Amino acid sequence: MQYLPIAWRLVGQTALVVGGGDVAIRKARLLARAGARLRIIAPEISDDLKAMAEKSGGEVLVQAYQASALDGVSLVVGATDDGDVNAQLHKDAVERNIPVNVVDNPPLCTFIFPAIVDRDPILISISSGGASPVLARWLRSKIETILPSRLGDLAQIMGEYRSQLAKKLPSIGARRQFWEGTLEGPVAEQALAGRLDEARQRLQSAIDSADAKKLSKGEVYLVGAGPGDPDLLTFRALRLLQKADVVLYDRLVSDQVLEMARRDADLVYVGKARDKHALPQDNINDLLVHYAQQGKKVCRLKGGDPFIFGRGGEEIDKIAEAGIDFQVVPGVTAAAGCAAYAGIPLTHRDYAQSVRFVTGHRKDGSVSLPWDTLVTPGETLVFYMGLVSLPEISKNLIAHGMRADMPAALISRGTTNDQEVIVGTVGSLPKDIQNREVHAPTLIIVGEVVGVFPRYSWFRSQAEQN
Ligand code: SAH
């Protein structure tokens, strides 16, 4: 982050604008809108600008710039096309610790003006850090089109009732629940439709009947976070993630997905620590119950789908036992995500009529799987957690009748920017990866469908790039 966006209350403060032309007018208008008193200094000042300064309760100085104009100002904007004046102004302002912006000259700015979407009192600022103001403005127009025009009215009404609600519901969590419900209900609809009095009446009666106990009830969301690419989150996953007070996550959940949580949510890591010990499953279950019993909305984020090799079943057992409300949100499981991003169809009318998800996880030092049933014509096998056992998997499949040249692929960090696909055969794959650095997590796909892979040249070039 190169700049910190802050919202600055300028009402009654003096803002200096150096320059008297069109650029100066644009900036002066914005500053006046924020309630600043304008001081304009330039040898020539347009009548419009003079009128604007006067209306703001400020003053105009029809003269060349001089440092004394900085006396008592909170911020200064340089809007002249004179390089010397701009440089001097920047130097003078910095010496006096006054924030300075020289239009279109980032090196001479200690602050920049973001593009804004103004639905007063709602304000959205967009900045490209000076890299591309055009891109920032383009984004602004996109955001403008999706925001209801009466958003400001809704914010205004919610503001009016804030302190009343705070008296009725002392718990912050309960209030957040209340407002979130309000945003999805008729009060918001009416306000956004311009029926402000009706919206106020409804809000009043909702506050009168608000039930603190019900609103402070904890809940657990068991949410599939998908295999890594945040675009693969479901809408519901995103919604709940942004609602949660606490987010419990593990190693498989990508940083970009975590970024989607509410800024003030507690993020609790429950995966393997540096010493490689994951928090025991029982502790995770207890933690979920513990937070929910405090009245919190708890999001348990799990890589892929929570019910596929995710121990999601055990977690909800405990939650249900404790009488806590919960919901389970499916996610894109690694097999589906990796296969799609690698260009390997898991089933295919010509090659595979079924697909089987298998765990290669070792228990007591070996993989125990019903090998004879795994070697079935027309079936794709997907091994989760199979990297360590790959030699054993390969050996057993061949020993139980699979041809050694059956196509097989290993996909590492599937769906992320670091995805790697290594294609070989069930016989060769253990050797193929022997002298390569392979990053977890990895998935192994075995079957004729892997042979289809070279046909999808787009995926192939992607894989090679990686
Ligand atoms: N619930 C998860 C699976 C958890 S088991 C799901 O539905 O995907 C953990 C295993 O999932 C890893 O060992 C690996 O085999 C697989 N996996 C998860 N994410 C992956 C990814 N991005 N790329 C490759 N394999 C992945």
Side-chain angles (χ1 to χ4, degrees), residues 305-457:
D305 180 274
F307 281 175
I308 295 184
F309 305 128
R311 308 190 71 170
E314 297 163 47
E315 292 177 12
I316 54 170
D317 259 358
K318 265 285 168 64
I319 296 159
E321 214 172 88
I324 293 161
D325 290 342
F326 66 89
Q327 17 179 334
V328 182
V329 183
V332 173
T333 188
C338 294
Y341 279 48
I344 299 170
L346 290 176
T347 67
H348 190 295
R349 285 222 309 198
D350 298 336
Y351 305 103
Q353 288 69 48
S354 62
V355 54
R356 197 148 161 189
F357 297 169
V358 186
T359 167
H361 187 64
R362 297 158 154 259
K363 233 182 173 174
D364 309 324
S366 74
V367 209
S368 99
L369 285 168
W371 297 107
D372 44 349
T373 74
L374 289 184
V375 184
T376 307
E379 183 163 85
T380 305
L381 297 177
V382 182
F383 289 92
Y384 287 69
M385 300 171 274
L387 183 62
V388 179
S389 335
L390 179 58
E392 209 177 330
I393 291 171
S394 161
K395 201 176 80 207
N396 276 295
L397 289 176
I398 295 169
H400 286 81
M402 185 176 280
R403 60 184 171 93
D405 62 353
M406 176 65 85
L410 182 134
I411 299 152
S412 140
R413 303 197 279 199
T415 80
T416 70
N417 290 337
D418 303 314
Q419 168 171 303
E420 257 191 292
V421 183
I422 300 167
V423 182
T425 65
V426 76
S428 76
L429 210 51
K431 275 193 267 77
D432 297 340
I433 63 162
Q434 228 163 40
N435 295 317
R436 297 182 60 153
E437 200 181 347
V438 177
H439 298 273
T442 59
L443 195 81
I444 299 157
I445 305 181
V446 178
E448 304 285 358
V449 288
V450 177
V452 177
F453 173 76
R455 277 203 228 149
Y456 294 92
S457 56

Side-chain angles (χ1 to χ4, degrees), residues 8 42 58 78 90 193-194 203 208 296 311 313 319 374 392 398 460:
W8 188 353
H90 172 260
L203 184 52
D208 292 341
K296 295 193 165 146
R311 308 190 71 170
I319 296 159
L374 289 184
E392 209 177 330
I398 295 169
R460 182 143 203 110

